[in-house]
């Protein structure tokens, strides 16, 4: 990733959240969201820049309750973004 100044870096999380929420609002059937919402998802590490890669999968243990809580947090963040935009 290119070295961005701190002044620029502060906008990256907001941009990522905004894009994430826009996709969720406009595409309920997004393949990646559907794929990563699987309860017993196994994520394999990507090949590193040095050329070495891990052969051990990283298992993610997420319950439906945790998915609901994450969804609620995401929705609250989106509401905060929208209300701050409307106040501007």
């Amino acid at each position: 990733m290119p070295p961005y100044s701190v002044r620029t870096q502060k906008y990256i999380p907001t941009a990522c959240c905004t894009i994430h929420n826009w996709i969720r609002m406009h595409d309920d059937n997004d393949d990646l969201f559907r794929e990563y919402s699987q309860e017993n998802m196994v994520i394999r590490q990507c090949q590193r820049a040095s050329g070495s890669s891990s052969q051990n999968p990283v298992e993610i243990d997420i319950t439906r309750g945790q998915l609901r809580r994450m969804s609620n947090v995401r929705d609250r963040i989106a509401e905060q973004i929208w209300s701050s935009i409307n106040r501007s």
Side-chain angles (χ1 to χ4, degrees), residues 22-31 33-34:
W22 189 89
I23 293 170
R24 287 299 258 181
M25 289 186 322
H26 295 284
D27 189 1
D28 290 339
N29 296 316
D30 183 81
D31 292 336
F33 281 113
R34 194 171 49 249

Side-chain angles (χ1 to χ4, degrees), residues 71-83:
S71 177
N72 290 338
V73 169
R74 183 191 66 240
D75 291 344
R76 281 196 308 269
I77 292 169
E79 288 170 9
Q80 291 172 359
I81 290 171
W82 285 116
S83 66

Side-chain angles (χ1 to χ4, degrees), residues 33-63:
F33 281 113
R34 194 171 49 249
E35 178 182 344
Y36 283 91
S37 67
Q38 300 299 317
E39 196 165 312
N40 295 316
M41 179 71 184
V42 175
I43 298 177
R44 300 189 188 283
Q45 291 180 345
C46 296
Q47 188 172 1
R48 299 181 190 271
S50 65
S52 65
S53 64
S54 172
Q55 299 298 317
N56 301 326
V58 176
E59 293 192 35
I60 296 178
D61 184 18
I62 300 176
T63 65

Side-chain angles (χ1 to χ4, degrees), residues 80-88:
Q80 291 172 359
I81 290 171
W82 285 116
S83 66
S84 70
I85 289 171
N86 291 332
R87 280 184 266 148
S88 299

Side-chain angles (χ1 to χ4, degrees), residues 1-10 12:
M1 184 161 147
Y4 293 108
S5 69
V6 173
R7 188 175 192 170
T8 300
Q9 288 180 30
K10 69 181 182 181
I12 293 173

